[in-house]
Amino acid sequence: MEGVLTPEIWIAVAEKTKIPELRRTTRDEPDYDKLMRGRLEILAKHNLKLSDIQAVIASLKPLPGAREFLDELRNSTQVIILSDTFEQFASPLMKQLNQPTLLCHKLVVENDRIVNYKLRIADQKRKAVAALKQLNYNVISAGDSYNDTGMLLEANVGFLIHAPENVKKEFSQFKAVESLADLLKLIIPLL
């Protein structure tokens, strides 16, 4: 979701709060638990609450063409967004994207403080794709970061979109595109 259809939430929070350490994303850190543990420490250190982050998210808009991309794709097939974001973050953005199906994680919140996070299941993107394939679905996936590569490898076909050079170089087996329009052109003939 983030970096593909919507802005990176943590980068937006970093810009709003002037805390540069929050700019680190799954584009930089392949170990999701290490990334999230670091984020939780930063939030505690700076006394940032869930409501502070949600206020930033409320100001965000999907990336240009994201809603049109999803609408066009949904005219031809079913679409599921697999994301390492959190239910408490995603709602305003999902409304703007015409409520696509989103499978993501949950935050553990106490008195408006994010104290932990709860994965649906470890390696959820790859495992969700594997489960869909077991149901005899042809799975086409796209992502931009390290946390997407297991899903891309598991899918029948995987693409990189808006990926940084380090991810493109490390996972050169995937065709990389820079726009949702170009991604749509690759996907439609495969349906």
Side-chain angles (χ1 to χ4, degrees), residues 90-186:
S91 183
L93 293 166
M94 292 302 97
K95 286 178 187 168
Q96 294 178 67
L97 291 170
N98 201 19
Q99 296 293 1
T101 299
L102 170 68
L103 304 179
C104 63
H105 308 300
K106 288 186 83 161
L107 293 168
V108 178
V109 180
E110 295 174 1
N111 298 319
D112 201 26
R113 304 256 181 238
I114 302 170
V115 296
N116 207 345
Y117 69 99
K118 184 167 178 57
L119 298 178
R120 292 284 170 199
I121 187 171
D123 199 15
Q124 64 107 3
K125 291 180 181 185
R126 185 190 62 76
K127 289 178 180 175
V129 168
L132 290 167
K133 285 175 58 182
Q134 283 187 326
L135 293 168
N136 292 317
Y137 284 100
N138 179 41
V139 180
I140 302 166
S141 66
D144 70 332
S145 299
Y146 284 114
N147 65 327
D148 297 318
T149 57
M151 168 186 74
L152 298 177
L153 289 164
E154 184 67 40
N156 296 99
V157 180
F159 299 107
L160 288 169
I161 177 165
H162 305 142
E165 288 304 316
N166 56 316
V167 174
K168 285 192 244 184
K169 183 177 178 184
E170 205 170 324
F171 295 92
S172 60
Q173 68 266 46
F174 301 116
K175 181 159 182 59
V177 296
E178 298 304 320
S179 76
L180 291 168
D182 287 341
L183 180 59
L184 191 63
K185 288 176 189 173
L186 293 172

